[in-house]
Amino acid sequence: MHIKILQLMELIRSTFYYHPTDKKLSIAIQDQLAKQTPLRNNGVRYGDYFVLRNNHQQSILIELGFITTPNELNAIQSESYQNQVADSIVQGLINYLDS
């Protein structure tokens, strides 16, 4: 999971993958995040990031908000948002493993 610093005024969420075999996992989790969280769905995208590229296990990177945007910082710090995110990730993993 990843929390980014950026100057934006709306809630945005993206999920990134590097290896093509991880795309299906990214989609499963992103779909659940889109259903259960208030963040704008910025989609699933390829990301050439060190933490993904050099990971030999299945891996994705989830952007869950930007700490420099006040409304996102408030969401990130709230227990209800954290629970929504956790529930979404768990349900996405269940959906992925059941498919």
Side-chain angles (χ1 to χ4, degrees):
M1 290 183 280
H2 176 67
I3 306 236
K4 194 173 186 177
I5 297 175
L6 186 64
Q7 294 293 344
L8 293 175
M9 292 313 296
E10 65 179 303
L11 301 168
I12 298 176
R13 169 195 15 79
S14 299
T15 303
F16 296 93
Y17 66 93
Y18 178 75
H19 298 286
T21 55
D22 298 337
K23 186 174 183 179
K24 188 175 177 183
L25 173 60
S26 295
I27 291 168
I29 291 177
Q30 185 73 1
D31 285 349
Q32 288 304 308
L33 287 165
K35 290 178 185 175
Q36 298 184 42
T37 65
L39 300 179
R40 180 175 66 116
N41 185 348
N42 208 22
V44 170
R45 297 183 287 174
Y46 169 83
D48 187 12
Y49 299 108
F50 182 86
V51 296
L52 297 175
R53 182 178 60 246
N54 293 313
N55 192 333
H56 301 292
Q57 302 297 318
Q58 193 164 18
S59 60
I60 63 171
L61 184 139
I62 307 168
E63 285 185 343
L64 298 173
F66 301 96
I67 62 174
T68 56
T69 305
N71 57 339
E72 291 194 35
L73 179 59
N74 290 336
I76 291 165
Q77 293 175 327
S78 78
E79 186 175 342
S80 66
Y81 175 75
Q82 293 168 13
N83 289 332
Q84 288 175 332
V85 167
D87 292 344
S88 298
I89 293 170
V90 168
Q91 189 58 54
L93 285 169
I94 290 169
N95 294 348
Y96 171 76
L97 293 170
D98 285 346
S99 65

